Amino acid sequence: MTARAVAESESRDRDWHDASLTEVRERLDVESFESGLSAAEAEARLERYGPNEIREAETTPAWELFVSQFQDFLIYLLVLAAILSLAVGLLPGSEPNYVDAGLIGLILLANGVFGFVQDYRAEQSMQALRELSSPDATVLRDGQKRTVPATQVVPGDVIFVEQGDAIPADARLLETTDLHTDESALTGESSTVTKSTADVPSDAPLAERENVVYMNTTAVRGRAKAVVVETGMETQVGSIATQLSEADEEKTPFQEEVDELGRTIGYGVLALILVVAAVQLLATASAPVTVLLVSVTLAVAAVPEGLPAVVTLTLALGSQKMLDRNALVRRLPVVESLGAVDVIVTDKTGTLTENQMTVTDVLFGDEVFEVTGSGLAPEGEFRRDGEAIDPERISPLLRCGAICNNAEEAAADDEKDYLGDPTEIAVLVAAKKAGVDPDHERRREVSFTSERKRMTVVADGDSPTAYTKGAPEVVLDRCESVLVDGETVELTAERRDAILERNSQFAGEALRVLAFARKPDVDPDADPEDLESGLTFLGLQGMLDPPRAEVADAVADCRRAGIRVVMATGDNVETARAIGEEIGFDPTGAISGPELDDLSEEDLAEAVEEVEVFARVAPEHKVRILRALQNNGADVAMTGDGVNDAPALRNADVGIAMGIRGTDVAQQASDMVLQDDNFATIRDAIAEGRGIFDNIRKFVNYLLSANAGEVLVVFAGVLLGAVLFPDLFAGHAEALVLTPVMLLWINLVTDGLPALALGTDPRAADVLDRTPRSHDEPVISGRMMASILSMGLLMSLTGLGVFFYALDRTEDLIQAQTLLFTFLVSVEMVRIQIIRSRYDLSIGSNRWLLAAVGVSFALQLLVLYTPVNALFDVVPVALQGWSWIAVGFVAFLGLGLAAEALTDRVLQADH
């Protein structure tokens, strides 16, 4: 950011940072920070101030989008062909081909309009996807917390910010608990900023206004309550016109390959035109007019006009298909990348499991109790050896869990029953089952972090008491006593070992275990180290997050598809092993985070090829695992949901964030968002990705083999015609096997609707029975190139056979051209099913394709049997002509299927 931009930005901040909270409330016209705005007032302010969003830079005008459809090398080639059609008239004794030039222009215009419509629709689709992926905000409306889209936040809204949230608007802080934010997107400073409600000097620079949080920055630690002071373009980000846009406009590898293909075709056609012109002039003594017309015809035959439009539509359809599968694609290249993924590194909680924790076992004193009931319903019993007990007996443990807790019941009209972390919700529900009232006055909170592995809340009661929960080993290390039968006794080594042994037993049963402790008579302002030392141990709560029912099959499907699945979880090794084994992972050799720290890069490179379960991993461990796999040549999809997962998600070949429990930061760093947080959705997305890539290959094969056939027909037809019918072909400029207009029409009716319909093909049944394709494998593989060339050659052989047979029998050039014209349209329709047969797709499996073929053939009949035929210089085809076409058609079909089968056998033998 420039100094001028900073100065302008700071001047716009007015004096929110140095105004008193009373002034802030009055200026914002908020009645109370405790109840927030009413829903009606929030709606009125949204109408007044507009949506809370940064207006994007001016989008490309429609006219520029339309003009861009003609800015392509292949289009330039067709424009040259139209110019040459007119230039013929400059030669002595010749007339300009106005009809040819006009029809070339008309078809170019039709393709331009079609491409424009598809680009416009794709742009609208991407805008819809961006809106779907926009973050939510938690606001206080009518005294209740509500989750609303961030775009609906208005000045005066009271918002709540948790660790990992993106700040939805500029806001003045009202309450903070260990809040740290990342403001690098705004200030350029990479270090986090500590925030508080303290007074700030009026001349404090932007980076030092610690009582204000800003839109598009991130809470990396702690929590806060704040009141929104500016939204949209009035925020700091809006004032400097900063748009944090995603790199959605970058070309995909396939699009770059298509561009390169277009240039290659263009240069190839120019070279071919020069060769044919030289042969015609030197070997056949053709007139310059003939040479020019053949050049025009070759240019038209070689250009796959429909390719760019079909690419655009297929990628757009692919994104929509994945969205229908609950996979929100944030960047289009993921469509191709998914097909190459050969390793998935996945979280356990919520992805492989239900993410709905239920407390099932508790340890209090020396006794273990069973808790009945499941899910979020506060219904169940506490049992000892199968007999129900009075839950008051274990209330100190349950009360600690309810107080040291940030979960809460959601508003009645909220989609969720509870707001908060699933583990904390489970603990809160267990307390509610016992009738424990968690109501208390919170004096202080020391937040949980992945480094501390514990959380403490100081609450008022008979005296200020610190309530702590966290990882059992961590909490136990800070305890000096234990509560047994209502009395506080020394925590001896024997008791400590017994608790750790019970913790191991719980973990071995796939339970997630939290320890609870308290310390009475504390100073709420004491150092956290003092607050969390000398604690009294209260007990353990073990909870289960059961595997999703569909996950075991999904993991098996991925492995069948040649994809390794690796679990990387923050849970302990015992829990990870138990859940992993139930789902189908091999728990042998499971590695924990501390053990991973001790591995050298070389040892880790070996371990990641064998180990399927990593436990107690921190975000930095995920990055190491990812790099080791990638260094081994793997294409890795990695899931993540936390702020610190962003580096791994950004560096993975496919970064996958969770849509439900994922932080805004994780989602913004990802390529794809799972809207249901379900591993099975990853499998479905990979299957869709492979199917989309198959469809891309189908229409590329179809378009290029058809154009290759047309080029060979024109090239060989001119040379053979000069030999077989020298008087006709050498003496007449119009003596061509096909005219440019005919070829343009063929490309329009075959490269148009049928090619587009291929993009809607269902995926093949065996899409998950194949191994992943190599990441650097081109769209046009060796197998496809062989198919393109063989089909092009067969099309030209059978087509020219029909043409020269008809010319020999009838001595009517126009009739022979008409039969070849119709034959090519017919066989190109059949060519589609030959390609689809490689994927075991039946003729009736794509009704859109059937309709497209029907419409295209109807259009061809319209050209043959209506007055339109005069524009194309064709005549109606009689029954005898159809019989000749049928013979060529059957020959092409038989030879084509045989050639495909032979190509497969040869390539399999080589492999």
Side-chain angles (χ1 to χ4, degrees), residues 387-416:
E387 297 292 330
I389 65 149
D390 182 357
E392 181 63 27
R393 185 170 164 186
I394 58 174
S395 62
L397 169 63
L398 299 176
R399 179 170 173 76
C400 178
I403 293 175
C404 187
N405 199 314
N406 285 324
E408 59 183 310
E409 286 191 76
D413 59 349
D414 202 297
E415 294 182 0
K416 300 177 181 178

Side-chain angles (χ1 to χ4, degrees), residues 42-117:
E43 186 174 346
R45 293 191 183 201
L46 183 61
E47 182 71 23
R48 188 188 319 157
Y49 296 109
N52 175 38
E53 58 189 9
I54 304 300
R55 292 194 294 271
E56 297 183 16
E58 290 187 14
T59 56
T60 304
W63 68 268
E64 283 190 23
L65 194 62
F66 179 72
V67 170
S68 70
Q69 305 303 315
F70 303 96
Q71 295 172 344
D72 181 88
F73 190 90
L74 296 180
I75 300 300
Y76 298 153
L77 206 57
L78 287 179
V79 171
L80 176 63
I83 293 172
L84 289 176
S85 296
L86 296 175
V88 168
L90 299 177
L91 298 175
S94 300
E95 293 291 329
N97 289 331
Y98 292 113
V99 173
D100 284 7
L103 284 175
I104 290 175
L106 185 63
I107 292 175
L108 276 176
L109 179 63
N111 269 297
V113 170
F114 182 80
F116 165 74
V117 170

Side-chain angles (χ1 to χ4, degrees), residues 12 267 648 905:
R12 291 177 61 91
Y267 294 134
R905 281 199 296 270

Side-chain angles (χ1 to χ4, degrees), residues 337-344 552-565 635 679 682-691 763-774:
S337 301
L338 279 168
V341 166
D342 52 18
V343 178
I344 301 172
D553 288 341
V555 171
D557 288 342
C558 287
R559 288 179 174 147
R560 191 177 80 248
I563 302 169
R564 284 187 64 220
V565 185
D635 288 293
F679 180 85
I682 302 177
R683 172 204 58 191
D684 295 341
I686 288 175
E688 287 295 344
R690 291 187 177 188
R763 64 175 189 255
D766 69 341
V767 74
L768 287 178
D769 293 329
R770 316 175 203 152
T771 57
R773 65 180 178 85
S774 172

Side-chain angles (χ1 to χ4, degrees), residues 617-638:
V617 295
E620 57 268 23
H621 294 139
K622 282 189 174 183
V623 174
R624 284 195 69 199
I625 293 168
L626 170 67
R627 287 175 177 166
L629 287 165
Q630 289 176 325
N631 290 338
N632 287 350
D635 288 293
V636 185
M638 175 165 277

Side-chain angles (χ1 to χ4, degrees), residues 6 10 13 17 200-210 214:
V6 172
E10 292 178 358
D13 195 30
H17 63 286
V200 174
S202 59
D203 60 350
L206 183 69
E208 295 178 12
R209 296 172 187 172
E210 62 183 52
Y214 299 103

Side-chain angles (χ1 to χ4, degrees), residues 664-710:
D664 298 327
V665 176
Q667 292 175 11
Q668 290 166 8
S670 68
D671 301 300
M672 187 171 79
V673 178
L674 300 186
Q675 295 187 306
D676 58 359
D677 289 11
N678 193 339
F679 180 85
T681 301
I682 302 177
R683 172 204 58 191
D684 295 341
I686 288 175
E688 287 295 344
R690 291 187 177 188
I692 291 163
F693 195 79
D694 283 350
N695 288 347
I696 288 173
R697 278 189 156 164
K698 286 177 206 169
F699 69 70
V700 170
N701 188 339
Y702 171 60
L703 294 182
L704 296 187
S705 60
N707 284 68
E710 292 164 18

